């Protein structure tokens, strides 16, 4: 099957936000391909000191959610900050981490789909330091950051497989 960006336009989606949606679909598909067969032990293993795949999946979903909060012009709440601090904690099942990530991705996708393209250059502030960015900058960063961590998860899986 062709990669998402080679499957044509997404009906009802403005072309400026479509790449974000392609990126989210690609992340889902790559993660499923590379991680669905992991055992519970492999999900939280740290081969060569690498971050566990379970962390990568949690971090993907959590960072998408946190950045989408900033996209909405809001600040993080205590629950989101707490989840961020617990991303490395082992023990959750594959189903638990992937289901939570999917919830977070769907929530962010709905936000991005609702963005008026005329607001692409509107200012947004990130974090406690209120670092400056734009609506378009946040959307782009969510996509690139997600892909970065998908790649890290894939490398960790490859190392795990090479060790067995």
């Amino acid at each position: 099957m062709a990669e998402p960006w080679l499957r044509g336009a997404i009906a009802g989606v403005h072309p400026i936000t479509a790449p974000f949606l392609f990126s989210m679909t690609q992340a889902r598909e790559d993660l499923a391909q590379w991680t669905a067969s992991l055992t519970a032990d492999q999900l939280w293993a740290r081969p060569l000191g690498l971050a566990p795949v379970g962390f990568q999946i949690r971090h993907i979903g959590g960072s998408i959610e946190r950045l989408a909060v900033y996209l909405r012009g809001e600040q993080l709440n205590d629950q989101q900050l707490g989840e961020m601090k617990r991303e490395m904690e082992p023990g959750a099942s594959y189903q638990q981490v992937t289901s939570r990530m999917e919830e977070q991705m769907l929530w962010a996708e709905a936000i991005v789909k609702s963005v008026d393209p005329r607001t692409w250059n509107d200012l947004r502030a990130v974090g406690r330091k209120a670092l400056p960015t734009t609506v378009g900058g946040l959307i782009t960063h969510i996509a690139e950051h997600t892909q970065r961590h998908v790649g890290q998860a894939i490398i960790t899986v490859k190392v795990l497989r090479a060790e067995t």
Side-chain angles (χ1 to χ4, degrees):
M1 178 187 296
E3 290 187 357
W5 64 279
L6 293 171
R7 297 178 196 162
I10 303 171
V13 172
H14 192 281
I16 200 167
T17 56
F20 172 84
L21 299 171
F22 293 144
S23 183
M24 295 300 103
T25 300
Q26 185 77 54
R28 285 181 179 96
E29 291 175 5
D30 287 347
L31 283 170
Q33 176 186 343
W34 286 95
T35 68
S37 65
L38 294 179
T39 67
D41 287 342
Q42 289 173 322
L43 183 66
W44 294 103
R46 299 198 64 181
L48 304 176
L50 296 171
V53 173
F55 160 78
Q56 298 295 350
I57 295 170
R58 271 190 184 149
H59 184 69
I60 289 166
S63 62
I64 288 170
E65 179 179 327
R66 291 185 294 272
L67 291 165
V69 166
Y70 298 132
L71 181 60
R72 290 171 42 140
E74 300 170 358
Q75 292 299 308
L76 301 180
N77 63 36
D78 290 340
Q79 179 182 342
Q80 290 157 334
L81 291 169
E83 284 183 14
M84 180 175 58
K85 292 176 184 174
R86 293 186 298 275
E87 286 177 346
M88 283 290 276
E89 289 180 9
S93 71
Y94 180 79
Q95 179 64 35
Q96 288 169 321
V97 294
T98 56
S99 292
R100 178 68 177 129
M101 180 192 70
E102 181 65 15
E103 290 171 7
Q104 292 163 314
M105 290 176 103
L106 289 171
W107 182 73
E109 286 171 337
I111 292 167
V112 171
K113 285 177 185 177
S114 73
V115 167
D116 181 340
R118 294 172 294 184
T119 67
W120 202 253
N121 290 320
D122 286 5
L123 297 178
R124 291 294 183 268
V126 175
R128 293 180 187 147
K129 294 182 180 181
L131 299 173
T133 191
T134 62
V135 167
L138 271 164
I139 292 171
T140 300
H141 182 64
I142 294 169
E144 70 174 349
H145 185 262
T146 297
Q147 291 300 326
R148 182 180 309 146
H149 284 279
V150 169
Q152 290 176 359
I154 291 169
I155 292 298
T156 303
V157 171
K158 287 181 176 185
V159 172
L160 285 166
R161 289 181 180 164
E163 287 183 340
T164 57

